[in-house]
């Protein structure tokens, strides 16, 4: 009986905690409402199963408590029950998977009109690169990385000349435009994560990874590195400032291109 009471308290307090907790997601500032929907549906399905299974245990503990003169019975097979359990488990799993697959399908399909922005991670800072007027990022190679070329940009690639370099942990992005965020790491695993954008991706040394999103609110949003990337991991922060297009254009114009930056060094 004591266990039944403990379980009943656990069910009620878990549901209440979920309803009154202040720790909900921050308000969304991107197009990824489908990811929030997938998370919400997961909460509903797992919450309902949690309540149903634990309530059943509470009921069974009370209903079938040990009593004198009531022998235990053994029922090895119950085809009807097993069919029902298989059906409802399948329905539950499909409900959990479907919204995630729907969101993932969109996540891996980059819109044709997305503009490219590169984020480069290293222990423990961020820097950024825009492709310039030609819309194409110049190629890079770790061999080119030196004091004068921290991005490792190929100096003989014609596409690299007009690349715009942001050697700061703060980057501006235009409101309402799809952005393909291309990610590179100079050393270890990092992860580009802005909680308000919901989407995120690892930076993997030796690979170029990417994801996309549309900023839907102007404002200043914090970038967190979401991989434990060494002793200074907690300092690896930055900011995305989402501006209206004219403000963004004015900001971008002031940033140095690769050709200018190397000439100035
Ligand atoms: Cu990091």
């Amino acid at each position: 009986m004591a266990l039944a009471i403990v379980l009943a308290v656990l069910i009620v307090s878990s549901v209440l905690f979920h309803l009154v907790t202040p720790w909900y997601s921050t308000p969304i500032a991107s197009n990824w409402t489908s990811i929030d929907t997938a998370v919400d549906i997961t909460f509903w399905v797992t919450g309902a199963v949690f309540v149903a299974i634990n309530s059943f245990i509470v009921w069974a503990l009370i209903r079938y408590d040990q009593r004198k003169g009531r022998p235990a019975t053994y029922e090895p097979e119950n085809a009807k029950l097993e069919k029902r359990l298989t059906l409802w488990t399948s329905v539950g799993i499909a409900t959990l998977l479907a919204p995630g697959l729907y969101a993932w399908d969109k996540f891996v399909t980059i819109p044709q009109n997305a503009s490219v922005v590169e984020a480069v991670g290293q222990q423990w800072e961020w820097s950024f690169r825009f492709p310039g007027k030609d819309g194409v990022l110049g190629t890079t190679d770790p061999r080119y990385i030196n004091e004068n070329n921290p991005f490792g940009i190929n100096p003989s690639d014609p596409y690299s000349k007009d690349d715009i370099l942001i050697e700061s942990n703060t980057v501006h992005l235009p409101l309402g435009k799809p952005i393909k965020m291309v990610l590179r790491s100079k050393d270890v695993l990092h992860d580009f994560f802005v909680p308000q954008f919901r989407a995120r991706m690892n930076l993997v040394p030796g690979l170029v990874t990417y994801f996309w999103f549309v900023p839907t609110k102007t404002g200043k949003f914090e970038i967190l590195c979401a991989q434990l990337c060494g002793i200074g991991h907690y300092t690896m922060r930055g900011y995305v400032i989402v501006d209206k297009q004219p403000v963004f254009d004015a900001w971008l114009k002031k940033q140095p291109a690769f050709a200018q930056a190397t000439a100035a060094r």
Side-chain angles (χ1 to χ4, degrees):
M1 191 47 133
L3 187 60
I5 294 167
V6 169
L7 272 179
V9 171
L10 187 83
I11 298 166
V12 174
S13 52
S14 300
V15 172
L16 280 180
F17 180 80
H18 182 74
L19 294 177
V20 301
T21 177
W23 296 310
Y24 271 116
S25 319
T26 47
I28 189 165
S30 84
N31 58 313
W32 289 119
T33 48
S34 53
I35 290 180
D36 276 7
T37 307
V39 172
D40 285 344
I41 292 173
T42 304
F43 262 127
W44 279 107
V45 172
T46 53
V49 171
F50 171 82
V51 171
I53 288 182
N54 283 289
S55 303
F56 170 75
I57 296 173
V58 171
W59 175 80
L61 281 169
I62 296 166
R63 176 73 179 75
Y64 299 106
D65 201 7
Q66 188 189 33
R67 260 177 237 151
K68 272 215 167 127
R70 188 167 70 187
T73 55
Y74 174 56
E75 195 179 349
E77 295 281 349
N78 186 332
K80 201 171 146 195
L81 180 66
E82 275 169 32
K83 268 182 203 155
R84 278 188 198 168
L85 282 176
T86 307
L87 174 73
W88 287 110
T89 309
S90 307
V91 169
I93 302 268
T95 316
L96 286 176
L97 287 180
L101 288 173
Y102 173 77
W104 181 250
D105 176 49
K106 289 187 173 176
F107 194 76
V108 294
T109 312
I110 311 283
Q112 292 280 317
N113 60 339
S115 43
V116 176
V117 181
E118 183 188 62
V120 181
Q122 72 178 84
Q123 289 175 320
W124 290 279
E125 55 195 47
W126 298 99
S127 45
F128 304 90
R129 182 162 65 123
F130 288 82
K133 280 211 182 70
D134 59 17
V136 180
L137 288 167
T139 50
T140 60
D141 193 295
R143 281 176 302 165
Y144 298 121
I145 294 178
N146 60 42
E147 270 175 34
N148 295 324
N149 186 359
F151 287 78
I153 296 169
N154 177 358
S156 51
D157 183 345
Y159 288 120
S160 66
K161 298 273 181 292
D162 66 346
D163 285 5
I164 297 163
L165 309 183
I166 316 296
E167 290 184 61
S168 151
N169 67 359
T170 302
V171 68
H172 291 238
L173 292 177
L175 177 71
K177 292 272 167 67
I179 305 285
K180 181 186 179 185
M181 208 79 197
V182 175
L183 306 166
R184 271 194 303 138
S185 167
K186 288 193 207 167
D187 38 41
V188 298
L189 270 187
H190 300 284
D191 190 295
F192 186 94
F193 178 39
V194 175
Q196 289 88 346
F197 295 162
R198 301 300 194 266
R200 61 201 270 181
M201 188 55 73
N202 274 359
L203 285 66
V204 185
L207 287 183
V208 176
T209 54
Y210 59 85
F211 72 101
W212 76 277
F213 64 100
V214 182
T216 53
K217 274 182 199 162
T218 54
K220 189 174 182 181
F221 306 102
E222 195 169 17
I223 307 164
L224 309 166
C225 177
Q227 285 290 358
L228 188 53
C229 57
I231 198 161
H233 162 65
Y234 68 100
T235 63
M236 192 166 167
R237 294 172 176 194
Y239 293 98
V240 173
I241 296 176
V242 177
D243 294 323
K244 292 196 173 128
Q245 191 75 45
V247 184
F248 168 77
D249 291 340
W251 170 83
L252 193 65
K253 221 180 246 174
K254 283 189 237 149
Q255 309 306 316
F258 174 58
Q260 292 162 261
T262 33
R265 280 190 170 106

